[in-house]
């Protein structure tokens, strides 16, 4: 008589580590891992606060917002504020020329 066949155990794949809620660097004091992100879904508000320097940021969130989304919005706002006015990209007016410029009439 033979042995019973056993099912093979599936090995779990190891997932890469993702930054946790308290592992963000402060944009003002550059202290590593000092940002605490809190999400209040009822009020639809997300807050980031540095435990070292006390700098904070608050924004409106959606149902799909994650702590990393709130932190990235804060970083984007900091870059926008710190960018000098000369370095701001200027948009060109790409509208077609006015119809009054056409002088095709031979009167």
């Amino acid at each position: 008589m033979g042995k019973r066949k056993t099912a093979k155990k599936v090995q779990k794949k190891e997932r890469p580590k993702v930054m946790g809620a308290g592992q963000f660097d402060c944009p003002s004091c550059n202290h590593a891992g000092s940002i605490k992100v809190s999400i209040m879904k009822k009020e639809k508000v997300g807050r980031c606060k540095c435990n070292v320097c006390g700098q904070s940021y608050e924004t409106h969130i959606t149902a799909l917002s994650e702590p990393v989304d709130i932190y990235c919005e804060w970083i984007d706002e900091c870059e926008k504020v710190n960018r000098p006015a000369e370095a701001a990209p200027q948009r060109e007016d790409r509208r077609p020329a006015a119809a009054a410029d056409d002088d095709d009439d031979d009167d």
Side-chain angles (χ1 to χ4, degrees):
M1 296 218 181
K3 289 198 243 175
R4 289 187 178 182
K5 292 184 179 180
T6 58
K8 293 181 181 180
K9 293 183 180 179
V10 179
Q11 293 181 350
K12 293 183 180 179
K13 292 183 180 179
E14 194 169 314
R15 292 185 180 189
K17 292 184 179 181
V18 180
M19 291 182 95
Q23 295 182 354
F24 298 116
D25 300 341
C26 180
S28 61
C29 70
N30 292 329
H31 196 272
S34 63
I35 299 295
K36 180 183 178 197
V37 180
S38 58
I39 298 176
M40 290 155 284
K41 293 203 178 199
K42 283 187 177 182
E43 293 87 16
K44 294 185 180 179
V45 173
R47 290 190 182 115
C48 294
K49 185 173 182 183
C50 178
N51 296 331
V52 178
C53 68
Q55 187 74 18
S56 63
Y57 176 74
E58 185 174 304
T59 185
H60 294 286
I61 61 169
T62 63
L64 301 176
S65 294
E66 296 285 330
V68 69
D69 298 325
I70 299 166
Y71 177 74
C72 288
E73 283 184 32
W74 186 16
I75 297 298
D76 291 342
E77 286 294 320
C78 289
E79 289 177 355
K80 190 186 299 182
V81 169
N82 292 332
R83 184 180 328 149
E86 303 92 39
Q90 296 182 3
R91 299 178 72 183
E92 294 180 16
D93 191 16
R94 296 186 181 179
R95 288 182 271 171
D101 292 340
D102 288 336
D103 289 330
D104 292 338
D105 296 332
D106 293 330
D107 291 291

